[in-house]
Amino acid sequence: MKKGILAIIAAMFFCFVFTGCGGEKQTPAAKPSQPAQPAPAAKEVSVGDLLGKGKNISGLTYDYVLSAKEMQLTGKFWASGKKIKFETTVANQKVITIIDGSASVMYNYLPDQKLATKMALDPAKIPAMPDKYSKEVDPAKFKVLESTTYEGVKCKVLLLEDAGNATQKLWVREDYGMPMRVEMTSASGDKQVMEFKNMKVEAVPDSVFALPEGVPVTDLGAMMKNMPVKS
């Protein structure tokens, strides 16, 4: 680009010098016009590169809406490293779930009652985040359906089909490489929709994942061990 600008400036300079001096002006021979060259097409981002943007994020927050049949669940989500926090309302009761993946421990906290429980968690059962598609799936299995704008954000719509005719349709953000919407349809036709709104990729303070001071915590694992075994 800079070389092109310098060439234009140099050409203008030489035209000015040779036409500005005394003497007869020379009319340059006309050069045959060259056909305009088409601009190179923008490189299409592969599914692997798109989903790869969601790897190794420093932190993540969003609001979520889960819709399935006649049920709808809404809440908030925070993540940083192996720490996850969910906040939702069930039967008019706010429930906060905090998961420490490094310790494989899950806490459930009821703010209205100021009570919390603790239990060990199988790492394989830790809830999936939007970035799981960047870490756990094979990009080659996805088909790109279209490019679109969803809720003001540029997205690629991807489709994943399995042998049992179940499908997953994803609206993946082009900036973060994570889905804003996931539609899962079973082989029987049942549909479940997960929406991730107000998504922000940013650091989340450790204090977000801490229970309030003074809250009593009941260890459900220890409680079950101490329960008498029926013969």
Side-chain angles (χ1 to χ4, degrees):
M1 182 67 180
K2 288 182 178 179
K3 291 182 179 179
I5 294 174
L6 290 174
I8 293 172
I9 293 173
M12 292 174 63
F13 172 76
F14 281 110
C15 286
F16 175 78
V17 169
F18 288 109
T19 59
C21 295
E24 184 179 356
K25 296 181 181 178
Q26 301 295 325
T27 303
K31 294 182 179 180
S33 59
Q34 298 293 327
Q37 297 297 320
K43 183 181 178 182
E44 185 69 20
V45 177
S46 68
V47 174
D49 290 340
L50 176 63
L51 296 177
K53 294 180 181 181
K55 294 181 179 179
N56 303 318
I57 58 174
S58 58
L60 180 66
T61 64
Y62 58 78
D63 301 327
Y64 63 86
V65 180
L66 172 63
S67 304
K69 292 186 177 180
E70 298 179 357
M71 179 197 74
Q72 187 175 81
L73 194 65
T74 63
K76 295 181 178 295
F77 175 93
W78 300 260
S80 179
K82 294 186 177 182
K83 293 182 179 180
I84 300 172
K85 177 179 176 180
F86 292 91
E87 180 182 301
T88 190
T89 301
V90 179
N92 297 321
Q93 175 76 58
K94 181 182 288 188
V95 180
I96 295 176
T97 299
I98 299 173
I99 296 174
D100 186 346
S102 58
S104 297
V105 175
M106 178 175 71
Y107 298 89
N108 280 312
Y109 172 51
L110 304 177
D112 294 343
Q113 301 179 27
K114 294 183 173 56
L115 296 174
T117 60
K118 170 186 175 182
M119 64 181 298
L121 182 67
D122 182 350
K125 296 182 179 180
I126 294 177
M129 299 189 297
D131 66 337
K132 81 160 197 168
Y133 295 95
S134 301
K135 299 176 179 178
E136 301 176 10
V137 301
D138 181 0
K141 295 181 178 180
F142 282 94
K143 179 194 301 182
V144 180
L145 298 182
E146 62 175 332
S147 299
T148 188
T149 300
Y150 183 77
E151 295 189 348
V153 179
K154 291 183 178 180
C155 297
K156 296 285 188 186
V157 182
L158 310 182
L159 180 67
L160 175 64
E161 298 176 300
D162 64 20
N165 294 324
T167 63
Q168 291 187 52
K169 191 175 180 182
L170 284 63
W171 282 253
V172 180
R173 296 180 62 126
E174 292 188 7
D175 53 357
Y176 294 161
M178 289 181 286
M180 295 182 64
R181 178 185 177 94
V182 178
E183 289 184 1
M184 293 164 283
T185 306
S186 67
S188 62
D190 292 334
K191 181 180 288 188
Q192 178 176 304
V193 178
M194 190 73 173
E195 295 177 273
F196 307 101
K197 300 176 177 291
N198 303 317
M199 185 180 292
K200 295 180 181 178
V201 174
E202 59 186 8
V204 181
D206 287 341
S207 58
V208 170
F209 306 97
L211 291 171
E213 292 186 8
V215 172
V217 179
T218 301
D219 190 332
L220 296 182
M223 181 184 296
M224 293 179 67
K225 288 181 181 180
N226 295 327
M227 290 180 64
V229 179
K230 295 182 179 180
S231 57

